[in-house]
Amino acid sequence: IDRMPGANAALRTEAEAVLRQRIVYEGSRLDLTDKGAAPWWMMSSGDEMAIKALLVTMGRPGWSDDDGRMMVGVALRQSRGHWDTTVANAWGTIAAQRFAARYPAQAVMGITTASLGNANASQVWPMASDTAPLRLTLPPTQMPLILKQAGGAGPWASISVLAAVPLKEALFAGYRIEKKVTAVSQAKSGQWTRGDVVKVRITVQASVGRNWVVVNDPIPPGATVLGGLGSQSQQLAAAANGGEGVSPSYAERGNDSWKGYFEWVPEGRFVVEYAMRLNGTGQFKLPPTRVEAMYSPDIRGVIPNDPVAVVMR
């Protein structure tokens, strides 16, 4: 549109609004909602389209606050140090060079101050590598967060909000999760009893390939994850060995959860299963089931778990 003779401001504004609607973030990773709609004959990849979105918006009026976030989002699209095609890597190199020219690297100096309501926190630069991030308590009412820099070049700021509240709805930011619990051995149908053996099946849909992904599923207190114990435990665990797609590089059978660590998870669907024996009785409230890219924790999926009731045999 910028190169069209006679293009007016209204048309340009409309085009930018359409582009903003197409841009989404999976955690911190930048994506386009219609990436699958590109005609095959254009030979355009998802990485290339995301990089071009950064190139056309970098430095434009009204987009300066998006430059840093989009650059990080494009960088997180890399797999093992590169984008998906040769053309995408060429455009990515240009984008990185333009970003570096627009925001030249310099030592962070001075004092950064963050204010939220009546709470204030500051950081003096340079800082030690093990310095904790600035933390502010959330006020009871909505208040603006104000960041100020004095005495030198300021840093890029990454802001996150943490709240100790129960998870009531599923959260999908790059991973979608489904969980199914069935009985391998059950004393009474429709009721969990001490000594019952349970099969847990977790289905994950990954929208992007990432290295080192962990699936973390909590188990009721006192329960034992079966497998590797020999004899009957090994036989019962085999009944839950029906996973699909990638398999965990390492499985951790803890006292509070089952964790599967995957060295590489490609885009698409995979299923993991494990078995556990219920040894404790009571009404148990479990934390959420979580899938997370370990080195990009914003790419994650979390689902709440229903309470589990176990009675005596």
Side-chain angles (χ1 to χ4, degrees), residues 182-247:
T182 57
V184 176
S185 173
Q186 191 172 31
K188 183 177 180 181
S189 178
Q191 176 178 284
W192 295 121
T193 306
R194 182 179 180 182
D196 287 349
V197 177
V198 180
K199 181 173 86 169
V200 179
R201 178 182 176 92
I202 300 173
T203 303
V204 181
Q205 184 70 36
S207 61
V208 58
R210 299 299 300 179
N211 64 326
W212 287 116
V213 175
V214 60
V215 177
N216 185 352
D217 189 49
I219 64 175
T224 302
V225 178
L226 304 179
L229 302 176
S231 189
Q232 185 186 23
S233 294
Q234 190 71 32
Q235 296 175 16
L236 291 170
N241 188 21
E244 303 173 17
V246 292
S247 300

Side-chain angles (χ1 to χ4, degrees), residues 31-45:
D31 207 349
L32 298 175
T33 57
D34 54 353
K35 61 181 180 180
W40 67 268
W41 44 264
M42 290 186 66
M43 304 297 287
S44 179
S45 70

Side-chain angles (χ1 to χ4, degrees), residues 34 62 88 90 108 143 164 203 238 250 303 308:
D34 54 353
V108 179
M143 301 289 292
T203 303
Y250 171 73
I303 57 172
V308 177

